Amino acid sequence: AAATEPGPSDGELAGLDVPAGVVGLVDDPVHPLAQARRWARLLPRAVLVTSTLDAVGADPRVLGAAAVRGWDRAR
């Protein structure tokens, strides 16, 4: 279902001048790491943090913690 929803455009991402933490899971076939890298490149003030599906499966808070870590580094 998530794959059928449109994401933000390149221009929308490039226009966001706020700190952003982008999380990519290195082994997620549904949300490829390449897309997270692309978003991090497009966002002017983003930091990419990576994790794994196993880590998120063991503790879903890993995802939010990674996003906050990226945001903190970006600011």
PDB file of all heavy atoms in Angstrom, residues 33-73:
ATOM      1  N   LEU A  33      17.042   1.467   0.245  1.00  0.00           N
ATOM      2  CA  LEU A  33      18.009   2.396   0.809  1.00  0.00           C
ATOM      3  C   LEU A  33      18.380   3.476  -0.211  1.00  0.00           C
ATOM      4  O   LEU A  33      18.615   4.630   0.161  1.00  0.00           O
ATOM      5  CB  LEU A  33      19.257   1.647   1.274  1.00  0.00           C
ATOM      6  CG  LEU A  33      20.368   2.465   1.901  1.00  0.00           C
ATOM      7  CD1 LEU A  33      19.865   3.251   3.113  1.00  0.00           C
ATOM      8  CD2 LEU A  33      21.528   1.575   2.280  1.00  0.00           C
ATOM      9  N   ALA A  34      18.403   3.121  -1.471  1.00  0.00           N
ATOM     10  CA  ALA A  34      18.732   4.106  -2.510  1.00  0.00           C
ATOM     11  C   ALA A  34      17.769   5.291  -2.472  1.00  0.00           C
ATOM     12  O   ALA A  34      18.171   6.433  -2.697  1.00  0.00           O
ATOM     13  CB  ALA A  34      18.708   3.449  -3.890  1.00  0.00           C
ATOM     14  N   GLN A  35      16.514   5.038  -2.174  1.00  0.00           N
ATOM     15  CA  GLN A  35      15.537   6.130  -2.089  1.00  0.00           C
ATOM     16  C   GLN A  35      15.815   7.010  -0.875  1.00  0.00           C
ATOM     17  O   GLN A  35      15.722   8.236  -0.957  1.00  0.00           O
ATOM     18  CB  GLN A  35      14.111   5.574  -2.032  1.00  0.00           C
ATOM     19  CG  GLN A  35      13.037   6.636  -2.066  1.00  0.00           C
ATOM     20  CD  GLN A  35      12.974   7.373  -3.410  1.00  0.00           C
ATOM     21  OE1 GLN A  35      13.638   7.018  -4.386  1.00  0.00           O
ATOM     22  NE2 GLN A  35      12.186   8.411  -3.473  1.00  0.00           N
ATOM     23  N   ALA A  36      16.174   6.409   0.247  1.00  0.00           N
ATOM     24  CA  ALA A  36      16.516   7.206   1.434  1.00  0.00           C
ATOM     25  C   ALA A  36      17.743   8.064   1.146  1.00  0.00           C
ATOM     26  O   ALA A  36      17.787   9.244   1.527  1.00  0.00           O
ATOM     27  CB  ALA A  36      16.769   6.289   2.629  1.00  0.00           C
ATOM     28  N   ARG A  37      18.715   7.501   0.469  1.00  0.00           N
ATOM     29  CA  ARG A  37      19.913   8.276   0.093  1.00  0.00           C
ATOM     30  C   ARG A  37      19.539   9.440  -0.814  1.00  0.00           C
ATOM     31  O   ARG A  37      20.053  10.538  -0.674  1.00  0.00           O
ATOM     32  CB  ARG A  37      20.929   7.373  -0.600  1.00  0.00           C
ATOM     33  CG  ARG A  37      21.630   6.440   0.336  1.00  0.00           C
ATOM     34  CD  ARG A  37      22.695   5.639  -0.411  1.00  0.00           C
ATOM     35  NE  ARG A  37      23.410   4.790   0.517  1.00  0.00           N
ATOM     36  CZ  ARG A  37      23.670   3.521   0.309  1.00  0.00           C
ATOM     37  NH1 ARG A  37      23.272   2.925  -0.799  1.00  0.00           N
ATOM     38  NH2 ARG A  37      24.330   2.830   1.213  1.00  0.00           N
ATOM     39  N   ARG A  38      18.665   9.172  -1.751  1.00  0.00           N
ATOM     40  CA  ARG A  38      18.220  10.219  -2.690  1.00  0.00           C
ATOM     41  C   ARG A  38      17.526  11.343  -1.942  1.00  0.00           C
ATOM     42  O   ARG A  38      17.801  12.523  -2.176  1.00  0.00           O
ATOM     43  CB  ARG A  38      17.288   9.596  -3.734  1.00  0.00           C
ATOM     44  CG  ARG A  38      16.869  10.537  -4.811  1.00  0.00           C
ATOM     45  CD  ARG A  38      16.114   9.760  -5.915  1.00  0.00           C
ATOM     46  NE  ARG A  38      15.407  10.704  -6.728  1.00  0.00           N
ATOM     47  CZ  ARG A  38      14.206  11.183  -6.465  1.00  0.00           C
ATOM     48  NH1 ARG A  38      13.535  10.755  -5.414  1.00  0.00           N
ATOM     49  NH2 ARG A  38      13.644  12.066  -7.249  1.00  0.00           N
ATOM     50  N   TRP A  39      16.610  11.002  -1.045  1.00  0.00           N
ATOM     51  CA  TRP A  39      15.913  12.023  -0.264  1.00  0.00           C
ATOM     52  C   TRP A  39      16.909  12.821   0.574  1.00  0.00           C
ATOM     53  O   TRP A  39      16.797  14.041   0.677  1.00  0.00           O
ATOM     54  CB  TRP A  39      14.862  11.383   0.633  1.00  0.00           C
ATOM     55  CG  TRP A  39      13.594  11.006  -0.073  1.00  0.00           C
ATOM     56  CD1 TRP A  39      13.427  10.767  -1.408  1.00  0.00           C
ATOM     57  CD2 TRP A  39      12.320  10.830   0.526  1.00  0.00           C
ATOM     58  NE1 TRP A  39      12.128  10.440  -1.669  1.00  0.00           N
ATOM     59  CE2 TRP A  39      11.421  10.477  -0.494  1.00  0.00           C
ATOM     60  CE3 TRP A  39      11.856  10.914   1.826  1.00  0.00           C
ATOM     61  CZ2 TRP A  39      10.084  10.225  -0.250  1.00  0.00           C
ATOM     62  CZ3 TRP A  39      10.517  10.658   2.069  1.00  0.00           C
ATOM     63  CH2 TRP A  39       9.636  10.334   1.037  1.00  0.00           C
ATOM     64  N   ALA A  40      17.874  12.147   1.173  1.00  0.00           N
ATOM     65  CA  ALA A  40      18.865  12.855   1.992  1.00  0.00           C
ATOM     66  C   ALA A  40      19.699  13.813   1.139  1.00  0.00           C
ATOM     67  O   ALA A  40      20.075  14.886   1.610  1.00  0.00           O
ATOM     68  CB  ALA A  40      19.761  11.851   2.715  1.00  0.00           C
ATOM     69  N   ARG A  41      19.978  13.439  -0.094  1.00  0.00           N
ATOM     70  CA  ARG A  41      20.712  14.347  -0.993  1.00  0.00           C
ATOM     71  C   ARG A  41      19.863  15.547  -1.384  1.00  0.00           C
ATOM     72  O   ARG A  41      20.363  16.663  -1.502  1.00  0.00           O
ATOM     73  CB  ARG A  41      21.142  13.609  -2.262  1.00  0.00           C
ATOM     74  CG  ARG A  41      22.398  12.809  -2.125  1.00  0.00           C
ATOM     75  CD  ARG A  41      22.952  12.360  -3.479  1.00  0.00           C
ATOM     76  NE  ARG A  41      21.962  11.775  -4.372  1.00  0.00           N
ATOM     77  CZ  ARG A  41      21.647  10.483  -4.423  1.00  0.00           C
ATOM     78  NH1 ARG A  41      22.241   9.629  -3.623  1.00  0.00           N
ATOM     79  NH2 ARG A  41      20.756  10.038  -5.276  1.00  0.00           N
ATOM     80  N   LEU A  42      18.573  15.324  -1.609  1.00  0.00           N
ATOM     81  CA  LEU A  42      17.691  16.402  -2.053  1.00  0.00           C
ATOM     82  C   LEU A  42      17.374  17.405  -0.939  1.00  0.00           C
ATOM     83  O   LEU A  42      17.250  18.598  -1.195  1.00  0.00           O
ATOM     84  CB  LEU A  42      16.377  15.829  -2.602  1.00  0.00           C
ATOM     85  CG  LEU A  42      16.481  15.128  -3.953  1.00  0.00           C
ATOM     86  CD1 LEU A  42      15.206  14.336  -4.238  1.00  0.00           C
ATOM     87  CD2 LEU A  42      16.742  16.136  -5.063  1.00  0.00           C
ATOM     88  N   LEU A  43      17.221  16.915   0.273  1.00  0.00           N
ATOM     89  CA  LEU A  43      16.924  17.809   1.396  1.00  0.00           C
ATOM     90  C   LEU A  43      18.171  18.610   1.738  1.00  0.00           C
ATOM     91  O   LEU A  43      19.232  18.037   1.994  1.00  0.00           O
ATOM     92  CB  LEU A  43      16.464  17.002   2.616  1.00  0.00           C
ATOM     93  CG  LEU A  43      15.072  16.402   2.512  1.00  0.00           C
ATOM     94  CD1 LEU A  43      14.923  15.237   3.483  1.00  0.00           C
ATOM     95  CD2 LEU A  43      14.031  17.466   2.784  1.00  0.00           C
ATOM     96  N   PRO A  44      18.078  19.930   1.752  1.00  0.00           N
ATOM     97  CA  PRO A  44      19.270  20.755   1.961  1.00  0.00           C
ATOM     98  C   PRO A  44      19.978  20.528   3.295  1.00  0.00           C
ATOM     99  O   PRO A  44      21.184  20.697   3.390  1.00  0.00           O
ATOM    100  CB  PRO A  44      18.748  22.189   1.892  1.00  0.00           C
ATOM    101  CG  PRO A  44      17.426  22.116   1.226  1.00  0.00           C
ATOM    102  CD  PRO A  44      16.893  20.735   1.494  1.00  0.00           C
ATOM    103  N   ARG A  45      19.247  20.139   4.318  1.00  0.00           N
ATOM    104  CA  ARG A  45      19.845  20.017   5.658  1.00  0.00           C
ATOM    105  C   ARG A  45      19.535  18.666   6.290  1.00  0.00           C
ATOM    106  O   ARG A  45      19.150  18.579   7.443  1.00  0.00           O
ATOM    107  CB  ARG A  45      19.333  21.151   6.546  1.00  0.00           C
ATOM    108  CG  ARG A  45      19.741  22.524   6.038  1.00  0.00           C
ATOM    109  CD  ARG A  45      19.119  23.657   6.815  1.00  0.00           C
ATOM    110  NE  ARG A  45      19.450  23.584   8.225  1.00  0.00           N
ATOM    111  CZ  ARG A  45      18.758  24.222   9.174  1.00  0.00           C
ATOM    112  NH1 ARG A  45      17.729  24.970   8.857  1.00  0.00           N
ATOM    113  NH2 ARG A  45      19.116  24.107  10.430  1.00  0.00           N
ATOM    114  N   ALA A  46      19.751  17.601   5.525  1.00  0.00           N
ATOM    115  CA  ALA A  46      19.420  16.258   6.011  1.00  0.00           C
ATOM    116  C   ALA A  46      20.662  15.462   6.362  1.00  0.00           C
ATOM    117  O   ALA A  46      21.734  15.658   5.792  1.00  0.00           O
ATOM    118  CB  ALA A  46      18.624  15.499   4.961  1.00  0.00           C
ATOM    119  N   VAL A  47      20.487  14.552   7.301  1.00  0.00           N
ATOM    120  CA  VAL A  47      21.503  13.562   7.637  1.00  0.00           C
ATOM    121  C   VAL A  47      20.844  12.196   7.553  1.00  0.00           C
ATOM    122  O   VAL A  47      19.761  11.985   8.113  1.00  0.00           O
ATOM    123  CB  VAL A  47      22.085  13.801   9.048  1.00  0.00           C
ATOM    124  CG1 VAL A  47      22.976  12.644   9.468  1.00  0.00           C
ATOM    125  CG2 VAL A  47      22.854  15.114   9.091  1.00  0.00           C
ATOM    126  N   LEU A  48      21.482  11.288   6.836  1.00  0.00           N
ATOM    127  CA  LEU A  48      20.986   9.920   6.687  1.00  0.00           C
ATOM    128  C   LEU A  48      21.551   9.042   7.793  1.00  0.00           C
ATOM    129  O   LEU A  48      22.751   9.060   8.065  1.00  0.00           O
ATOM    130  CB  LEU A  48      21.408   9.357   5.327  1.00  0.00           C
ATOM    131  CG  LEU A  48      21.061   7.895   5.066  1.00  0.00           C
ATOM    132  CD1 LEU A  48      19.555   7.699   4.976  1.00  0.00           C
ATOM    133  CD2 LEU A  48      21.746   7.412   3.807  1.00  0.00           C
ATOM    134  N   VAL A  49      20.681   8.287   8.433  1.00  0.00           N
ATOM    135  CA  VAL A  49      21.062   7.297   9.436  1.00  0.00           C
ATOM    136  C   VAL A  49      20.513   5.957   8.945  1.00  0.00           C
ATOM    137  O   VAL A  49      19.390   5.895   8.453  1.00  0.00           O
ATOM    138  CB  VAL A  49      20.473   7.650  10.823  1.00  0.00           C
ATOM    139  CG1 VAL A  49      20.819   6.589  11.846  1.00  0.00           C
ATOM    140  CG2 VAL A  49      20.952   9.020  11.274  1.00  0.00           C
ATOM    141  N   THR A  50      21.297   4.900   9.067  1.00  0.00           N
ATOM    142  CA  THR A  50      20.834   3.591   8.607  1.00  0.00           C
ATOM    143  C   THR A  50      20.652   2.629   9.774  1.00  0.00           C
ATOM    144  O   THR A  50      21.241   2.788  10.839  1.00  0.00           O
ATOM    145  CB  THR A  50      21.820   2.977   7.592  1.00  0.00           C
ATOM    146  OG1 THR A  50      23.080   2.815   8.202  1.00  0.00           O
ATOM    147  CG2 THR A  50      21.923   3.827   6.344  1.00  0.00           C
ATOM    148  N   SER A  51      19.812   1.645   9.518  1.00  0.00           N
ATOM    149  CA  SER A  51      19.569   0.573  10.470  1.00  0.00           C
ATOM    150  C   SER A  51      19.187  -0.660   9.666  1.00  0.00           C
ATOM    151  O   SER A  51      19.365  -0.683   8.442  1.00  0.00           O
ATOM    152  CB  SER A  51      18.461   0.961  11.461  1.00  0.00           C
ATOM    153  OG  SER A  51      18.386   0.011  12.516  1.00  0.00           O
ATOM    154  N   THR A  52      18.660  -1.669  10.343  1.00  0.00           N
ATOM    155  CA  THR A  52      18.259  -2.914   9.682  1.00  0.00           C
ATOM    156  C   THR A  52      16.827  -3.280  10.059  1.00  0.00           C
ATOM    157  O   THR A  52      16.309  -2.838  11.089  1.00  0.00           O
ATOM    158  CB  THR A  52      19.173  -4.083  10.090  1.00  0.00           C
ATOM    159  OG1 THR A  52      18.987  -4.340  11.480  1.00  0.00           O
ATOM    160  CG2 THR A  52      20.633  -3.792   9.779  1.00  0.00           C
ATOM    161  N   LEU A  53      16.225  -4.112   9.232  1.00  0.00           N
ATOM    162  CA  LEU A  53      14.882  -4.613   9.537  1.00  0.00           C
ATOM    163  C   LEU A  53      14.879  -5.413  10.836  1.00  0.00           C
ATOM    164  O   LEU A  53      13.935  -5.325  11.622  1.00  0.00           O
ATOM    165  CB  LEU A  53      14.359  -5.488   8.400  1.00  0.00           C
ATOM    166  CG  LEU A  53      13.801  -4.756   7.186  1.00  0.00           C
ATOM    167  CD1 LEU A  53      13.503  -5.754   6.065  1.00  0.00           C
ATOM    168  CD2 LEU A  53      12.554  -3.979   7.541  1.00  0.00           C
ATOM    169  N   ASP A  54      15.922  -6.191  11.064  1.00  0.00           N
ATOM    170  CA  ASP A  54      16.003  -6.979  12.303  1.00  0.00           C
ATOM    171  C   ASP A  54      15.984  -6.075  13.530  1.00  0.00           C
ATOM    172  O   ASP A  54      15.310  -6.363  14.517  1.00  0.00           O
ATOM    173  CB  ASP A  54      17.266  -7.844  12.326  1.00  0.00           C
ATOM    174  CG  ASP A  54      17.152  -9.081  11.446  1.00  0.00           C
ATOM    175  OD1 ASP A  54      16.017  -9.439  11.055  1.00  0.00           O
ATOM    176  OD2 ASP A  54      18.200  -9.681  11.141  1.00  0.00           O
ATOM    177  N   ALA A  55      16.741  -4.978  13.482  1.00  0.00           N
ATOM    178  CA  ALA A  55      16.787  -4.057  14.620  1.00  0.00           C
ATOM    179  C   ALA A  55      15.416  -3.430  14.866  1.00  0.00           C
ATOM    180  O   ALA A  55      14.958  -3.342  16.009  1.00  0.00           O
ATOM    181  CB  ALA A  55      17.833  -2.977  14.390  1.00  0.00           C
ATOM    182  N   VAL A  56      14.749  -3.026  13.800  1.00  0.00           N
ATOM    183  CA  VAL A  56      13.414  -2.421  13.934  1.00  0.00           C
ATOM    184  C   VAL A  56      12.406  -3.471  14.390  1.00  0.00           C
ATOM    185  O   VAL A  56      11.530  -3.179  15.202  1.00  0.00           O
ATOM    186  CB  VAL A  56      12.979  -1.753  12.617  1.00  0.00           C
ATOM    187  CG1 VAL A  56      11.546  -1.268  12.686  1.00  0.00           C
ATOM    188  CG2 VAL A  56      13.910  -0.587  12.278  1.00  0.00           C
ATOM    189  N   GLY A  57      12.535  -4.696  13.889  1.00  0.00           N
ATOM    190  CA  GLY A  57      11.637  -5.770  14.308  1.00  0.00           C
ATOM    191  C   GLY A  57      11.789  -6.104  15.785  1.00  0.00           C
ATOM    192  O   GLY A  57      10.808  -6.393  16.476  1.00  0.00           O
ATOM    193  N   ALA A  58      13.020  -6.052  16.267  1.00  0.00           N
ATOM    194  CA  ALA A  58      13.273  -6.344  17.682  1.00  0.00           C
ATOM    195  C   ALA A  58      12.795  -5.218  18.584  1.00  0.00           C
ATOM    196  O   ALA A  58      12.359  -5.459  19.712  1.00  0.00           O
ATOM    197  CB  ALA A  58      14.765  -6.594  17.906  1.00  0.00           C
ATOM    198  N   ASP A  59      12.872  -4.001  18.092  1.00  0.00           N
ATOM    199  CA  ASP A  59      12.454  -2.835  18.880  1.00  0.00           C
ATOM    200  C   ASP A  59      12.076  -1.709  17.926  1.00  0.00           C
ATOM    201  O   ASP A  59      12.957  -0.997  17.430  1.00  0.00           O
ATOM    202  CB  ASP A  59      13.577  -2.381  19.812  1.00  0.00           C
ATOM    203  CG  ASP A  59      13.168  -1.221  20.703  1.00  0.00           C
ATOM    204  OD1 ASP A  59      12.019  -0.718  20.587  1.00  0.00           O
ATOM    205  OD2 ASP A  59      14.004  -0.797  21.518  1.00  0.00           O
ATOM    206  N   PRO A  60      10.791  -1.527  17.634  1.00  0.00           N
ATOM    207  CA  PRO A  60      10.355  -0.506  16.679  1.00  0.00           C
ATOM    208  C   PRO A  60      10.808   0.915  17.031  1.00  0.00           C
ATOM    209  O   PRO A  60      10.877   1.775  16.165  1.00  0.00           O
ATOM    210  CB  PRO A  60       8.823  -0.607  16.708  1.00  0.00           C
ATOM    211  CG  PRO A  60       8.539  -1.976  17.223  1.00  0.00           C
ATOM    212  CD  PRO A  60       9.669  -2.316  18.150  1.00  0.00           C
ATOM    213  N   ARG A  61      11.170   1.138  18.286  1.00  0.00           N
ATOM    214  CA  ARG A  61      11.640   2.474  18.672  1.00  0.00           C
ATOM    215  C   ARG A  61      12.955   2.832  17.992  1.00  0.00           C
ATOM    216  O   ARG A  61      13.307   4.020  17.909  1.00  0.00           O
ATOM    217  CB  ARG A  61      11.803   2.554  20.190  1.00  0.00           C
ATOM    218  CG  ARG A  61      10.475   2.429  20.931  1.00  0.00           C
ATOM    219  CD  ARG A  61      10.677   2.395  22.411  1.00  0.00           C
ATOM    220  NE  ARG A  61      11.430   1.178  22.757  1.00  0.00           N
ATOM    221  CZ  ARG A  61      11.767   0.834  23.988  1.00  0.00           C
ATOM    222  NH1 ARG A  61      11.454   1.607  24.998  1.00  0.00           N
ATOM    223  NH2 ARG A  61      12.430  -0.282  24.215  1.00  0.00           N
ATOM    224  N   VAL A  62      13.656   1.837  17.473  1.00  0.00           N
ATOM    225  CA  VAL A  62      14.921   2.069  16.767  1.00  0.00           C
ATOM    226  C   VAL A  62      14.720   3.044  15.617  1.00  0.00           C
ATOM    227  O   VAL A  62      15.554   3.915  15.372  1.00  0.00           O
ATOM    228  CB  VAL A  62      15.500   0.722  16.261  1.00  0.00           C
ATOM    229  CG1 VAL A  62      16.596   0.923  15.235  1.00  0.00           C
ATOM    230  CG2 VAL A  62      15.993  -0.106  17.433  1.00  0.00           C
ATOM    231  N   LEU A  63      13.606   2.911  14.919  1.00  0.00           N
ATOM    232  CA  LEU A  63      13.322   3.772  13.768  1.00  0.00           C
ATOM    233  C   LEU A  63      13.196   5.233  14.184  1.00  0.00           C
ATOM    234  O   LEU A  63      13.832   6.114  13.611  1.00  0.00           O
ATOM    235  CB  LEU A  63      12.043   3.293  13.071  1.00  0.00           C
ATOM    236  CG  LEU A  63      11.754   3.830  11.695  1.00  0.00           C
ATOM    237  CD1 LEU A  63      12.884   3.537  10.732  1.00  0.00           C
ATOM    238  CD2 LEU A  63      10.458   3.217  11.179  1.00  0.00           C
ATOM    239  N   GLY A  64      12.398   5.504  15.194  1.00  0.00           N
ATOM    240  CA  GLY A  64      12.234   6.868  15.674  1.00  0.00           C
ATOM    241  C   GLY A  64      13.517   7.432  16.256  1.00  0.00           C
ATOM    242  O   GLY A  64      13.867   8.593  16.029  1.00  0.00           O
ATOM    243  N   ALA A  65      14.255   6.595  16.993  1.00  0.00           N
ATOM    244  CA  ALA A  65      15.514   7.041  17.589  1.00  0.00           C
ATOM    245  C   ALA A  65      16.521   7.407  16.498  1.00  0.00           C
ATOM    246  O   ALA A  65      17.249   8.404  16.623  1.00  0.00           O
ATOM    247  CB  ALA A  65      16.080   5.960  18.506  1.00  0.00           C
ATOM    248  N   ALA A  66      16.548   6.638  15.424  1.00  0.00           N
ATOM    249  CA  ALA A  66      17.455   6.942  14.311  1.00  0.00           C
ATOM    250  C   ALA A  66      17.071   8.259  13.644  1.00  0.00           C
ATOM    251  O   ALA A  66      17.937   9.068  13.298  1.00  0.00           O
ATOM    252  CB  ALA A  66      17.444   5.800  13.297  1.00  0.00           C
ATOM    253  N   ALA A  67      15.776   8.489  13.465  1.00  0.00           N
ATOM    254  CA  ALA A  67      15.317   9.745  12.858  1.00  0.00           C
ATOM    255  C   ALA A  67      15.697  10.940  13.727  1.00  0.00           C
ATOM    256  O   ALA A  67      16.162  11.966  13.218  1.00  0.00           O
ATOM    257  CB  ALA A  67      13.806   9.702  12.626  1.00  0.00           C
ATOM    258  N   VAL A  68      15.535  10.815  15.019  1.00  0.00           N
ATOM    259  CA  VAL A  68      15.898  11.905  15.930  1.00  0.00           C
ATOM    260  C   VAL A  68      17.407  12.127  15.921  1.00  0.00           C
ATOM    261  O   VAL A  68      17.883  13.261  15.913  1.00  0.00           O
ATOM    262  CB  VAL A  68      15.377  11.632  17.361  1.00  0.00           C
ATOM    263  CG1 VAL A  68      15.947  12.624  18.350  1.00  0.00           C
ATOM    264  CG2 VAL A  68      13.856  11.674  17.372  1.00  0.00           C
ATOM    265  N   ARG A  69      18.185  11.045  15.884  1.00  0.00           N
ATOM    266  CA  ARG A  69      19.643  11.166  15.817  1.00  0.00           C
ATOM    267  C   ARG A  69      20.059  11.920  14.552  1.00  0.00           C
ATOM    268  O   ARG A  69      20.914  12.819  14.598  1.00  0.00           O
ATOM    269  CB  ARG A  69      20.271   9.770  15.853  1.00  0.00           C
ATOM    270  CG  ARG A  69      21.567   9.702  16.562  1.00  0.00           C
ATOM    271  CD  ARG A  69      22.093   8.292  16.822  1.00  0.00           C
ATOM    272  NE  ARG A  69      21.773   7.241  15.874  1.00  0.00           N
ATOM    273  CZ  ARG A  69      20.842   6.311  16.083  1.00  0.00           C
ATOM    274  NH1 ARG A  69      20.118   6.282  17.169  1.00  0.00           N
ATOM    275  NH2 ARG A  69      20.628   5.384  15.166  1.00  0.00           N
ATOM    276  N   GLY A  70      19.451  11.585  13.429  1.00  0.00           N
ATOM    277  CA  GLY A  70      19.738  12.288  12.182  1.00  0.00           C
ATOM    278  C   GLY A  70      19.351  13.745  12.240  1.00  0.00           C
ATOM    279  O   GLY A  70      20.103  14.625  11.833  1.00  0.00           O
ATOM    280  N   TRP A  71      18.172  14.008  12.780  1.00  0.00           N
ATOM    281  CA  TRP A  71      17.712  15.399  12.931  1.00  0.00           C
ATOM    282  C   TRP A  71      18.669  16.190  13.823  1.00  0.00           C
ATOM    283  O   TRP A  71      19.027  17.322  13.515  1.00  0.00           O
ATOM    284  CB  TRP A  71      16.294  15.422  13.520  1.00  0.00           C
ATOM    285  CG  TRP A  71      15.859  16.788  13.922  1.00  0.00           C
ATOM    286  CD1 TRP A  71      15.320  17.748  13.110  1.00  0.00           C
ATOM    287  CD2 TRP A  71      15.916  17.357  15.228  1.00  0.00           C
ATOM    288  NE1 TRP A  71      15.055  18.874  13.838  1.00  0.00           N
ATOM    289  CE2 TRP A  71      15.416  18.661  15.139  1.00  0.00           C
ATOM    290  CE3 TRP A  71      16.356  16.874  16.457  1.00  0.00           C
ATOM    291  CZ2 TRP A  71      15.331  19.507  16.240  1.00  0.00           C
ATOM    292  CZ3 TRP A  71      16.282  17.721  17.569  1.00  0.00           C
ATOM    293  CH2 TRP A  71      15.777  19.020  17.456  1.00  0.00           C
ATOM    294  N   ASP A  72      19.098  15.573  14.916  1.00  0.00           N
ATOM    295  CA  ASP A  72      20.004  16.260  15.843  1.00  0.00           C
ATOM    296  C   ASP A  72      21.330  16.595  15.165  1.00  0.00           C
ATOM    297  O   ASP A  72      21.857  17.687  15.329  1.00  0.00           O
ATOM    298  CB  ASP A  72      20.229  15.387  17.076  1.00  0.00           C
ATOM    299  CG  ASP A  72      20.917  16.128  18.201  1.00  0.00           C
ATOM    300  OD1 ASP A  72      20.560  17.310  18.435  1.00  0.00           O
ATOM    301  OD2 ASP A  72      21.807  15.549  18.834  1.00  0.00           O
ATOM    302  N   ARG A  73      21.845  15.683  14.370  1.00  0.00           N
ATOM    303  CA  ARG A  73      23.089  15.938  13.632  1.00  0.00           C
ATOM    304  C   ARG A  73      22.898  17.019  12.568  1.00  0.00           C
ATOM    305  O   ARG A  73      23.803  17.802  12.302  1.00  0.00           O
ATOM    306  CB  ARG A  73      23.593  14.668  12.981  1.00  0.00           C
ATOM    307  CG  ARG A  73      24.104  13.635  13.945  1.00  0.00           C
ATOM    308  CD  ARG A  73      24.575  12.413  13.202  1.00  0.00           C
ATOM    309  NE  ARG A  73      24.734  11.286  14.100  1.00  0.00           N
ATOM    310  CZ  ARG A  73      24.796  10.030  13.706  1.00  0.00           C
ATOM    311  NH1 ARG A  73      24.719   9.723  12.422  1.00  0.00           N
ATOM    312  NH2 ARG A  73      24.937   9.069  14.593  1.00  0.00           N
TER     313      ARG A  73
END
